[in-house]
Amino acid sequence: MTPKTLLQHHDNGQLWPPLAEEPECFTDVPAAYQMALQVAALREDRGEDPRGFKIGFTNRHIWPRYNVFAPIWGRVWHSTLVLCDGQATLPAGRLCQPRIEPEVVFGFKSTPVAGAGLDALFDALDWVAPGFELVQTHRPDWKFNAAHCVADGGLHGRLVVGPQLPVARVAADAQALHDLLAAATVNLRCDGQSVEAGTGANVLGSPLQALHHFLNELRACPGAPDIAPGDVVTTGTWTDAWPVLPGQQWQAEFSAPLPGLGLLLR
């Protein structure tokens, strides 16, 4: 598998073919990140604009289910990012085995300083919002390892971002934001029926903690870009990832201070 081949599978929504012997990028996580960076370069070469990052597998409760036992990250693009005022409509057909995840998304007003702790990270934030990530895998039946997920763009398909709340109006400091989001809850509903409940504490203790972990991992990856002003970062699912079908109406009912978010799939 080459970067060009991986990008073609992203474009056509088809499963990866069976391989007699898997390349290093499918067995070694650092090699997988280097492959993902090459795929990202191809996307930029053809005119796609990077808009931020996604963090995956921050929810420890789902690690055994997917055989991935540490967080990963991938890129978010102008072609995969949808901003809305609380309700969005998206086609699901182009994604490969798509699933939905309710998450918290952050927007950055500045690049965090070197060695940023939670306080400095808080100072770099602009807004916080509810989000849905539509994730996908090009491996059959959602059977993979961590390297597969990284090489597969961090499993990113689409990111829907709801109403953006200025961080300074939500919490006075990093500790307050951590406490608030850790205690927040979400009820994920499909066509009016409750599917699963989750809490912000599921993602490495809180979305802010997940963001801090990601920042350190990003800066430790050779060749990876740093966070830039205007970037969005979604911090991982509060529930399991649930399969989606065209025609479904999904709703994430977050507790205060986060507003709810709706998504119609067509």
Side-chain angles (χ1 to χ4, degrees), residues 13-254:
Q14 294 178 352
L15 295 173
W16 291 344
L19 299 174
E21 183 176 347
E22 293 199 321
E24 185 182 19
C25 69
F26 287 172
T27 59
D28 177 73
V29 170
Y33 276 116
Q34 295 308 305
M35 175 63 81
L37 290 174
Q38 293 179 57
V39 175
L42 291 178
R43 296 184 77 150
E44 291 192 65
D45 287 345
R46 70 181 188 183
E48 291 191 71
D49 295 326
R51 293 293 174 86
F53 303 87
K54 65 79 51 86
I55 320 173
F57 296 103
T58 52
N59 188 334
R60 296 186 181 98
H61 298 289
I62 65 175
W63 287 359
R65 194 169 303 152
Y66 296 101
N67 195 38
V68 177
F69 295 91
I72 63 167
W73 59 267
R75 304 294 292 279
V76 172
W77 304 89
H78 85 279
S79 55
T80 66
L81 178 64
V82 177
L83 305 179
C84 73
D85 60 1
Q87 178 66 43
T89 300
L90 280 180
R94 288 187 174 183
L95 300 179
C96 191
Q97 306 177 101
R99 299 189 177 195
I100 194 169
E101 301 178 341
E103 312 193 0
V104 154
V105 188
F106 291 106
F108 280 82
K109 62 184 179 183
S110 62
T111 300
V113 298
L118 291 184
D119 290 334
L121 183 56
F122 177 85
D123 290 340
L125 293 176
D126 187 10
W127 50 261
V128 60
F132 277 131
E133 189 180 16
L134 292 179
V135 289
Q136 61 177 339
T137 176
H138 295 85
R139 293 275 297 180
D141 303 318
W142 278 75
K143 303 298 183 183
F144 43 58
N145 60 33
H148 291 136
C149 298
V150 171
D152 201 7
L155 306 186
H156 176 63
R158 301 287 186 273
L159 176 61
V160 179
V161 180
Q164 300 168 13
L165 308 178
V167 166
R169 296 184 186 176
V170 173
D173 54 33
Q175 186 62 53
L177 185 62
H178 161 77
D179 292 342
L180 189 65
L181 294 180
T185 60
V186 68
N187 183 19
L188 181 65
R189 305 177 72 89
C190 178
D191 295 334
Q193 300 298 311
S194 181
V195 173
E196 186 180 352
T199 176
N202 287 348
V203 291
L204 299 185
S206 80
L208 188 62
Q209 291 280 16
L211 189 64
H212 184 249
H213 173 88
F214 157 71
L215 178 63
N216 291 332
E217 292 295 308
L218 178 70
R219 289 175 168 175
C221 179
D226 204 352
I227 290 174
D231 276 352
V232 303
V233 181
T234 187
T235 51
T237 185
W238 294 18
T239 66
D240 198 356
W242 287 87
V244 299
L245 293 171
Q248 290 177 333
Q249 172 72 54
W250 288 84
Q251 190 76 26
E253 298 174 342
F254 287 92

